[in-house]
Coordinates of all heavy atoms in Angstrom, one line a residue:
S21 N 4.7 15.3 -20.4 CA 5.3 14.7 -21.5 C 4.2 14.1 -22.5 O 3.1 13.7 -22.0 CB 6.4 13.7 -21.2 OG 5.7 12.5 -20.6
G22 N 4.6 13.9 -23.7 CA 3.6 13.2 -24.6 C 3.3 11.8 -24.2 O 2.1 11.4 -24.3
D23 N 4.2 11.1 -23.7 CA 3.9 9.7 -23.2 C 2.9 9.7 -22.1 O 2.0 8.9 -22.0 CB 5.2 9.0 -22.7 CG 6.1 8.6 -24.0 OD1 5.7 8.8 -25.1 OD2 7.2 8.1 -23.7
F24 N 3.1 10.7 -21.1 CA 2.3 10.7 -19.9 C 0.9 11.2 -20.3 O -0.2 10.7 -19.8 CB 2.9 11.7 -18.9 CG 2.2 11.5 -17.6 CD1 2.4 10.3 -16.8 CD2 1.4 12.5 -17.0 CE1 1.8 10.3 -15.5 CE2 0.9 12.4 -15.8 CZ 1.1 11.2 -15.0
E25 N 0.8 12.1 -21.3 CA -0.5 12.6 -21.9 C -1.2 11.4 -22.4 O -2.4 11.3 -22.2 CB -0.2 13.6 -22.9 CG 0.0 14.9 -22.3 CD 0.2 16.0 -23.4 OE1 0.4 15.6 -24.6 OE2 0.1 17.2 -23.1
E26 N -0.6 10.5 -23.2 CA -1.2 9.4 -23.8 C -1.8 8.4 -22.8 O -2.9 7.9 -22.8 CB -0.3 8.7 -24.8 CG -1.0 7.5 -25.6 CD 0.0 6.9 -26.5 OE1 1.1 7.4 -26.7 OE2 -0.4 5.9 -27.1
F27 N -0.9 8.3 -21.7 CA -1.3 7.4 -20.6 C -2.5 7.9 -20.0 O -3.5 7.2 -19.6 CB -0.1 7.3 -19.6 CG -0.5 6.4 -18.4 CD1 -0.5 5.1 -18.6 CD2 -0.7 7.0 -17.2 CE1 -0.7 4.3 -17.4 CE2 -0.9 6.2 -16.1 CZ -1.0 4.9 -16.2
I28 N -2.6 9.3 -19.7 CA -3.8 9.9 -19.0 C -5.0 9.7 -19.9 O -6.1 9.2 -19.5 CB -3.6 11.4 -18.9 CG1 -2.5 11.6 -17.8 CG2 -4.9 12.1 -18.6 CD1 -2.1 13.1 -17.7
Y29 N -4.8 9.8 -21.3 CA -6.0 9.7 -22.2 C -6.6 8.3 -22.1 O -7.8 8.1 -22.0 CB -5.6 10.1 -23.6 CG -6.7 9.8 -24.6 CD1 -7.7 10.7 -24.8 CD2 -6.6 8.6 -25.3 CE1 -8.8 10.4 -25.7 CE2 -7.7 8.4 -26.3 CZ -8.7 9.3 -26.4 OH -9.7 9.0 -27.3
L30 N -5.7 7.3 -22.3 CA -6.1 6.0 -22.4 C -6.8 5.5 -21.1 O -7.8 4.9 -21.1 CB -5.0 5.0 -22.7 CG -4.4 5.3 -24.1 CD1 -3.1 4.4 -24.3 CD2 -5.4 4.8 -25.2
I31 N -6.2 5.8 -19.9 CA -6.7 5.4 -18.6 C -8.1 6.1 -18.4 O -9.0 5.5 -18.0 CB -5.7 5.7 -17.5 CG1 -4.5 4.8 -17.6 CG2 -6.4 5.5 -16.2 CD1 -4.8 3.3 -17.4
S32 N -8.1 7.4 -18.6 CA -9.3 8.2 -18.4 C -10.5 7.7 -19.2 O -11.6 7.5 -18.8 CB -9.1 9.7 -18.6 OG -8.1 10.2 -17.8
H33 N -10.1 7.4 -20.5 CA -11.2 6.9 -21.4 C -11.8 5.6 -21.0 O -12.9 5.4 -20.9 CB -10.6 6.8 -22.8 CG -11.6 6.4 -23.9 ND1 -12.0 5.1 -24.1 CD2 -12.3 7.2 -24.7 CE1 -12.9 5.1 -25.1 NE2 -13.2 6.3 -25.5
D34 N -10.9 4.7 -20.6 CA -11.4 3.3 -20.2 C -12.1 3.3 -18.9 O -13.1 2.6 -18.7 CB -10.2 2.3 -20.3 CG -9.7 1.9 -21.6 OD1 -10.4 2.4 -22.6 OD2 -8.9 1.1 -21.8
V35 N -11.5 4.1 -17.9 CA -12.2 4.1 -16.6 C -13.5 4.7 -16.7 O -14.4 4.4 -15.9 CB -11.2 4.9 -15.7 CG1 -11.9 5.1 -14.3 CG2 -10.0 4.1 -15.3
R36 N -13.7 5.7 -17.5 CA -14.9 6.4 -17.6 C -16.0 5.5 -18.0 O -17.2 5.7 -17.7 CB -14.9 7.6 -18.6 CG -16.1 8.5 -18.4 CD -16.0 9.8 -19.2 NE -17.1 10.6 -18.8 CZ -17.9 11.2 -19.8 NH1 -17.6 11.1 -21.0 NH2 -18.9 11.9 -19.4
N37 N -15.7 4.5 -18.9 CA -16.8 3.5 -19.3 C -17.4 2.8 -18.0 O -18.6 2.6 -17.9 CB -16.2 2.5 -20.2 CG -15.9 3.1 -21.5 OD1 -16.5 4.0 -22.0 ND2 -14.9 2.5 -22.3
S38 N -16.5 2.4 -17.0 CA -17.0 1.9 -15.8 C -17.8 2.9 -15.0 O -18.7 2.6 -14.3 CB -15.8 1.2 -15.1 OG -15.2 0.2 -15.8
V39 N -17.2 4.1 -15.0 CA -17.9 5.2 -14.1 C -19.3 5.4 -14.6 O -20.2 5.6 -13.8 CB -17.0 6.5 -14.2 CG1 -17.9 7.6 -13.4 CG2 -15.7 6.2 -13.4
R40 N -19.6 5.3 -15.9 CA -20.9 5.5 -16.4 C -21.9 4.5 -15.9 O -23.0 4.8 -15.5 CB -20.9 5.5 -18.0 CG -20.2 6.7 -18.6 CD -20.6 6.6 -20.1 NE -19.8 7.6 -20.8 CZ -18.7 7.3 -21.6 NH1 -18.3 6.0 -21.7 NH2 -18.1 8.3 -22.3
A41 N -21.4 3.3 -15.7 CA -22.2 2.3 -15.1 C -22.4 2.5 -13.6 O -23.6 2.4 -13.1 CB -21.5 0.9 -15.2
L42 N -21.5 3.0 -12.9 CA -21.6 3.4 -11.5 C -22.6 4.5 -11.3 O -23.2 4.7 -10.3 CB -20.2 3.8 -10.9 CG -19.2 2.6 -10.8 CD1 -17.9 3.1 -10.2 CD2 -19.8 1.5 -9.8
I43 N -22.6 5.5 -12.3 CA -23.5 6.6 -12.2 C -25.0 6.0 -12.3 O -25.9 6.6 -11.6 CB -23.3 7.6 -13.3 CG1 -22.0 8.4 -13.0 CG2 -24.4 8.6 -13.4 CD1 -21.5 9.3 -14.1
E44 N -25.2 5.1 -13.2 CA -26.6 4.5 -13.3 C -27.0 3.7 -12.2 O -28.2 3.5 -11.8 CB -26.7 3.8 -14.6 CG -26.5 4.7 -15.9 CD -26.4 3.9 -17.1 OE1 -26.4 2.6 -17.1 OE2 -26.5 4.5 -18.2
L45 N -26.0 3.0 -11.5 CA -26.4 2.1 -10.5 C -27.3 2.6 -9.3 O -28.3 1.9 -9.0 CB -25.1 1.4 -9.9 CG -25.2 0.4 -8.8 CD1 -25.9 -0.8 -9.5 CD2 -23.8 -0.1 -8.4
P46 N -27.0 3.8 -8.7 CA -27.8 4.3 -7.7 C -29.2 4.6 -8.2 O -30.2 4.4 -7.5 CB -27.1 5.7 -7.3 CG -25.8 5.5 -7.7 CD -25.7 4.7 -8.9

């Protein structure tokens, strides 16, 4: 559904900011 798609987009976008830091940490 459109609501679930928007939820996926927002969560994925925000979580990826933290993941970028985790990629650099090692």
Side-chain angles (χ1 to χ4, degrees):
S21 69
D23 287 358
F24 195 68
E25 283 181 341
E26 184 176 353
F27 180 74
I28 290 173
Y29 174 80
L30 293 171
I31 291 296
S32 300
H33 185 275
D34 284 3
V35 171
R36 195 173 181 227
N37 290 332
S38 297
V39 171
R40 289 195 190 103
L42 292 176
I43 289 174
E44 294 176 349
L45 185 58

